[in-house]
Amino acid sequence: MFTGLESPSKLVLLLVAAVVLFGAKRLPEIGRSLGHGMRGFKESLAGEEQHDDADLETGVETGSAVEHDQLG
C-alpha cells in the first residue's frame, strides 16, 4: 500500500533517526546550511554572481584593502 519514500511511516522513521543522530538543536542549523548551499548552487548554474551579506556582517575584507593592509 505505502511503498514509496513518501509513506508517512518512513518519513517519521527518517525524522526520528535524524533527531537521534544530530540532536534537536542542530537540525535547524543543518537545514539552514543546506538551503544556503542549494541556493548558491542554483545561482552558479544560472550564472548569477551575488556577494553574500554574511561576509559584510562579519567584517571579512577582500581585494585590495587586504593587500594594502599587508603592505604597510
Side-chain angles (χ1 to χ4, degrees):
M1 184 172 172
F2 295 110
T3 59
L5 182 61
E6 298 85 19
S7 68
S9 61
K10 289 183 181 178
L11 289 176
V12 169
L13 183 64
L14 186 63
L15 181 63
V16 168
V19 169
V20 169
L21 287 175
F22 300 112
K25 289 185 177 183
R26 292 272 318 223
L27 285 179
E29 180 182 329
I30 291 170
R32 192 176 308 115
S33 64
L34 280 173
H36 284 287
M38 290 174 60
R39 189 177 311 121
F41 181 72
K42 282 183 177 180
E43 288 173 357
S44 68
L45 287 179
E48 300 173 8
E49 185 173 329
Q50 296 179 355
H51 298 288
D52 193 9
D53 292 337
D55 290 342
L56 297 175
E57 292 174 5
T58 58
V60 174
E61 294 181 8
T62 59
S64 63
V66 173
E67 293 172 7
H68 179 68
D69 289 342
Q70 290 175 352
L71 294 175

